[in-house]
Every structure is written in structure tokens, then in C-alpha cells.
Amino acid sequence: MKYRPTLLLFTPLLLAGPVRAVASDETPRMYRLVNLDGTGITAKGTLSASIDHRSANKPEGIAYTGISFRWGLTRSLELGVRGVTGTTADFTAGNGAIIRHGGRDVEVYGKYGLGSFGKVHLAILGGASMPGTPAQSQTYGTVSGVGEMKVHDRVNLFINPRAIFIEGNTIAGIGVGASVRISDRVHIVGDWTKIVTGENTRSVDDGTRTRRDIWGAALRWSSGGEGVPVDFDIGWGNATGSTTGFSLTPGLGNSSVFYFALHARH
């Protein structure tokens, strides 16, 4: 596996690790956009959970359901497991080739908050993906870095380079996103990921491997008052799931995905 070129994407975040944070912002950080990880860390000794559903139109034509659990081990470190499952299906390409797609993925990971540096917040993730798809059935390493910057009282910007190290086809992308606060309980979140290495889908014309970028947008409503804080998302995109591997995998062809999610936060 050729790790070095891909790991260069994460160099700025890794270099920031040893630096002492110059300022502390105790405002809870966002756990996730649609397809990007956020910098939020589950509070020590507590459990957070999410469930999401992504229903893809044709030619993908598969509904995917995802679930994740996150445990706060320390103030700066959480351990998580997340999975996505869907059926498998066959699609006949324009030249008659059969494309089998769909399947499931499970990822275990650790996420470490590097701290706050002025208005910038940083975190890194590392884990292992265990897919069960027509294309992949081994265990692969995953890595991700997250930067979040507050640019306005209502606007936060995100960057999330991430990769899955598949033998012979490492897939890496640089994701950018934003969260815009409409009111105390309503946000608009969105993201776009440019795939920079690897092929993450197949052509519906001839079945050959190809590359397609990832995008998503949603309206997020957050509960208030007493009890466990809950976020509800409803939106649209093209990724098939929330694990690192599936968040880098679009629906077949030009498929888009209706998306909704429920996040129970610490």
C-alpha cells in the first residue's frame, strides 16, 4: 500500500498536534455534517448515538441504514463504532457488463481532539473498516483529520481530508463544508468532497472503475430544554453511508440519496 502521498493531505493537522492550544472555547463542537466528521468529542463517561437512513434512486436503487455509538473515554478522546447496511443488487451497464453493488460496512475508530487554536478546532481519527460488499471483503485502515473554524456568529466552516487504504485502490478525498445557524434550533449543513486518489464507483456505460465526487446538504433541527439533546436532519446527497469508506462512495451513476438522521448528543 502507498500511504505517503495520501498522508500528505493530513500534514497540517498532524503538525498542529504537539502545539499548545492558545485559547479554549467550551461551546460544544459539531459531531457531523452530512458526509463529513466534525470536531465534537463525546463527553467523558457518556454515550452518544446516531441513526441515519439513505434511500437512493435509480440506478443505485438501494436503501442504506446506518447506526453509530460513541463513548467518551477522556475529555479529548472518544471510541466509536459505526455501521451501514443495505441489500446488494445487479445493474446492467450499457455494454452488457453486470455491476453488482450495495452491501455493508462496519468501522471501529478512535477520535482525538487536538484542541482549540483561536477560532480553529482540530481533531484526528484513525480506525479500521470491515466491509462486506461485492467489491471488498477484507479489513482496511482508515484515517481522517477535521478542522472547524468559526467565521461568523452564525457560520462555521469545516475541512475533512479522509482516506480508506484499500490494497491497489486507496481512496482519499478532501471534504469542505459549512454549518449556518438560522435560529437557536435550526441549522443548514452541507458538504462537498473532492476525490483526489482512487476510483470510488463504476461507470454505468461499461462497468469500468471511475471517480465521482461526494456531496450532501440537510436542514438540522435541534431540541431544547431538559433531557438528552437530539438533532434531526433531513436532506439530500449522493453518499451511501456514514462510515469513512461509504462516505467516500457515491450511488451508482448519477444516483442521488434522500437522507434523514437522528443524533442523540451528550
Side-chain angles (χ1 to χ4, degrees):
M1 300 183 192
K2 297 182 179 180
Y3 288 79
R4 292 183 181 178
T6 302
L7 290 176
L8 289 175
L9 300 174
F10 304 90
T11 299
L13 293 173
L14 295 173
L15 291 177
V19 181
R20 181 179 176 84
V22 298
S24 177
D25 183 355
E26 296 301 324
T27 302
R29 307 265 60 83
M30 190 167 289
Y31 159 68
R32 189 171 185 84
L33 299 181
V34 178
N35 303 307
L36 306 189
D37 283 307
T39 56
I41 301 291
T42 301
K44 180 180 178 181
T46 63
L47 181 70
S48 297
S50 300
I51 186 170
D52 68 82
H53 185 79
R54 301 170 189 245
S55 181
N57 57 21
K58 296 291 187 178
E60 180 74 17
I62 295 174
Y64 296 90
T65 300
I67 190 168
S68 72
F69 296 98
R70 307 173 299 280
W71 175 258
L73 188 63
T74 71
R75 182 181 179 185
S76 301
L77 176 65
E78 73 174 25
L79 302 179
V81 58
R82 51 192 177 188
V84 181
T85 186
T87 60
T88 57
D90 292 338
F91 177 82
T92 304
N95 67 348
I98 301 298
I99 304 172
R100 177 157 288 186
H101 58 289
R104 65 186 185 277
D105 187 28
V106 175
E107 182 181 20
V108 293
Y109 68 92
K111 181 179 180 182
Y112 182 73
L114 296 173
S116 301
F117 307 84
K119 295 183 178 181
V120 177
H121 311 276
L122 301 175
I124 54 175
L125 295 84
S129 172
M130 292 158 278
T133 71
Q136 309 295 343
S137 59
Q138 300 180 30
T139 299
Y140 306 104
T142 60
V143 65
S144 176
V146 189
E148 177 183 357
M149 181 177 183
K150 189 178 186 68
V151 297
H152 185 272
D153 181 55
R154 294 178 178 269
V155 180
N156 283 31
L157 300 181
F158 297 79
I159 184 168
N160 177 210
R162 58 199 191 279
I164 179 168
F165 297 102
I166 299 171
E167 186 70 40
N169 186 34
T170 290
I171 300 172
I174 300 177
V176 293
S179 169
V180 179
R181 180 170 61 86
I182 305 302
S183 68
D184 288 344
R185 297 190 182 183
V186 179
H187 289 73
I188 295 174
V189 296
D191 53 68
W192 174 74
T193 299
K194 175 67 176 178
I195 304 299
V196 294
T197 64
E199 290 80 40
N200 60 347
T201 188
R202 289 189 177 272
S203 167
V204 295
D205 295 324
D206 57 17
T208 57
R209 293 193 322 199
T210 187
R211 183 183 301 176
R212 184 165 290 113
D213 294 340
I214 303 294
W215 59 272
L219 185 68
R220 174 169 294 171
W221 176 84
S222 301
S223 67
E226 298 180 355
V228 177
V230 173
D231 297 333
F232 176 74
D233 294 359
I234 185 168
W236 205 258
N238 73 338
T240 53
S242 58
T243 62
T244 299
F246 274 37
S247 77
L248 290 169
T249 304
L252 197 62
N254 291 317
S255 299
S256 56
V257 175
F258 171 71
Y259 159 85
F260 68 86
L262 191 67
H263 311 282
R265 299 178 282 118
H266 56 79

